Amino acid sequence: KALDNVNLEIKKGESVGIIGKTGSGKSTLVDIIMGLIKPTSGKIFIDGIDINSSINNVLKWQNNISHVPQDIFIADFEIIENIALGIDKNEINYNEVNQAIKSAELNEFINIKNDGYNSTIGERGIKISGGQKQRIGIARALYKKSDLLILDEATSALDNKTEKQIIENILNTCKDMTII
């Protein structure tokens, strides 16, 4: 078993870190929390509801989650379209995008681009660094305004100062969000 006898309670609005050695089950636990893996035994309750009791419960739960993996998907679109991924450009809330950009410490990067957040960044983000990709992924998650934010080594390509500032920004601007 990747996990055995795990009993965990995370309250709404808490920030929780999951640490452990490589292979200790951290990613498996996060996948179970996100409803991507059904546990072989035991249950996952969200607000008293077993999320795995129906596919509708799983899908409803997943709609409340923003997940920022270590390797961010970047499309060959403009920066703003990558942040508001899946939203028609005419329906993007620019005020909320700007807040997400600020929280993800992307202002300086966007300000040096000739077309600002209308600049294209290439397929898989070929025109930008790993840290810039990660910050776009974080801005995307913050723009979504989910109840749960899961950061899975989402700042591994950032320097310590930038990482600390982004985490501080998230904690200050997303007080009701639960963060893992």
Side-chain angles (χ1 to χ4, degrees), residues 14-37:
E14 283 186 332
S15 296
V16 176
I18 299 172
I19 58 173
K21 295 178 183 177
T22 301
S24 63
K26 299 180 304 287
S27 294
T28 301
L29 178 60
V30 168
D31 287 348
I32 289 171
I33 290 170
M34 290 192 299
L36 299 174
I37 298 174

Side-chain angles (χ1 to χ4, degrees), residues 22-117:
T22 301
S24 63
K26 299 180 304 287
S27 294
T28 301
L29 178 60
V30 168
D31 287 348
I32 289 171
I33 290 170
M34 290 192 299
L36 299 174
I37 298 174
K38 188 174 181 177
T40 54
S41 64
K43 298 180 190 273
I44 304 293
F45 291 97
I46 308 298
D47 295 332
I49 299 168
D50 177 2
I51 65 165
N52 290 303
S53 64
S54 76
I55 189 67
N56 287 335
N57 286 349
V58 172
L59 295 174
K60 185 178 176 185
W61 169 239
Q62 289 173 338
N63 283 331
N64 292 307
I65 300 171
S66 289
H67 176 234
V68 186
Q70 184 174 356
D71 188 29
I72 306 296
F73 170 77
I74 300 290
D76 191 16
F77 299 147
E78 296 173 359
I79 294 169
I80 192 161
E81 293 170 300
N82 271 285
I83 291 171
L85 193 64
I87 307 291
D88 187 272
K89 196 167 181 185
N90 299 332
E91 296 178 20
I92 294 173
N93 182 322
Y94 286 81
N95 289 331
E96 291 186 12
V97 165
N98 285 324
Q99 179 58 50
I101 286 169
K102 185 178 175 185
S103 294
E105 295 289 315
L106 271 169
N107 281 335
E108 187 177 316
F109 164 68
I110 289 172
N111 289 339
I112 64 169
K113 302 298 258 174
N114 289 338
D115 294 323
Y117 51 53

Side-chain angles (χ1 to χ4, degrees), residues 18 27 30 66-73 103-104 129-142 149-159 162-164 166-167 170 179-180:
I18 299 172
S27 294
V30 168
S66 289
H67 176 234
V68 186
Q70 184 174 356
D71 188 29
I72 306 296
F73 170 77
S103 294
S129 72
Q132 291 160 341
K133 282 187 210 178
Q134 286 187 329
R135 286 183 284 161
I136 287 171
I138 291 166
R140 179 186 298 158
L142 297 175
L149 174 62
I150 296 179
L151 303 167
D152 189 1
E153 296 189 41
T155 57
S156 61
L158 301 176
D159 62 86
T162 304
E163 176 185 29
K164 183 179 181 204
I166 289 172
I167 297 300
I170 292 169
I179 302 169
I180 299 176

